[in-house]
Amino acid sequence: MRFQSLVFILVVLLASVATNQADFVDVNDPHVIEIATFAVTEYNNQHTEAKLVFEKVMSGVSNVVDNETRYSLTLSAKNGSASNNYDTIVLEKSSENFSLIAFALNPHA
Ligand SMILES: *[C@@H]1O[C@H](CO)[C@@H](O)[C@H](O)[C@H]1NC(C)=O
Ligand SMILES: *[C@@H]1O[C@H](CO)[C@@H](O)[C@H](O)[C@H]1NC(C)=O
Ligand SMILES: *[C@@H]1O[C@H](CO)[C@@H](O)[C@H](O)[C@H]1NC(C)=O
C-alpha cells in the first residue's frame, strides 16, 4: 500500500512537471526560426573556423522560467557540403537578448 501510494505521488509529480514546463515548438514559427538562426550565427562567431549555414528547425521544446524562455532545439545546418543535425539551447531574456547555452552535433542524425 505505501509503495503504491508513493508511486502514485511520483507519477502525479512527473506529469505536472511535464505539463507545466515543456511545450513543443512550431518548427515553422518565425520566432523559433529566429532563435535557431541566432544559435548558428552565435556558434560561428564563437568559433572562427566554423561556417555553418542554417537550414531548418527539426524539432524543439520551450519552457518559461522567471520571464526567461529556454529553447531546446534540434536544427539542421550545412557544414561545408555535409548536412548535420545539431542540438542547441538558447535562453531568451527578452526579444533582443538571446544567449547560446549549448550547441552540439547530434550524432544520431
Ligand atoms: C517578469 O516580468 C514582469 C513584467 O515585466 C515583472 O514585473 C516581474 O518582476 C518579472 N519577474 C521576474 C522573476 O523577473
Ligand atoms: C565541420 O566539418 C569540419 C571538417 O570535417 C570538422 O572539422 C568540424 O568539426 C565540423 N564542425 C561542426 C560544427 O560540425
Ligand atoms: C542581456 O542580458 C545580460 C545578462 O542578463 C545583461 O548583462 C545585458 O545587459 C542584457 N542586454 C540587453 C541589451 O538587455
Side-chain angles (χ1 to χ4, degrees), residues 6-20:
L6 188 63
V7 168
F8 177 74
I9 288 166
L10 274 176
V11 167
V12 170
L13 277 178
L14 289 174
S16 70
V17 164
T19 52
N20 284 346

Side-chain angles (χ1 to χ4, degrees), residues 24 47 58 67 75 99:
F24 285 97
H47 301 79
M58 310 300 289
N67 290 354
L75 58 85
S99 55

Side-chain angles (χ1 to χ4, degrees), residues 18-34:
T19 52
N20 284 346
Q21 286 197 337
D23 284 316
F24 285 97
V25 299
D26 174 356
V27 299
N28 297 311
D29 180 340
H31 187 65
V32 170
I33 293 169
E34 184 188 359

Side-chain angles (χ1 to χ4, degrees), residues 52 55-59 73-79 82-88 103-109:
L52 298 180
E55 291 184 307
K56 63 180 175 181
V57 182
M58 310 300 289
S59 63
L73 304 177
T74 299
L75 58 85
S76 80
K78 283 220 159 195
N79 182 18
S83 183
N84 296 326
N85 280 7
Y86 297 93
D87 293 323
T88 71
F103 195 104
L105 182 67
N106 179 327
H108 304 296

Side-chain angles (χ1 to χ4, degrees), residues 3-4 13-14 26 28 30 36 40 48 51-52 64 90 97 101 108-109:
F3 178 73
Q4 281 180 339
L13 277 178
L14 289 174
D26 174 356
N28 297 311
V40 172
T48 47
K51 290 187 178 59
L52 298 180
V64 179
V90 173
N97 203 344
I101 306 296
H108 304 296

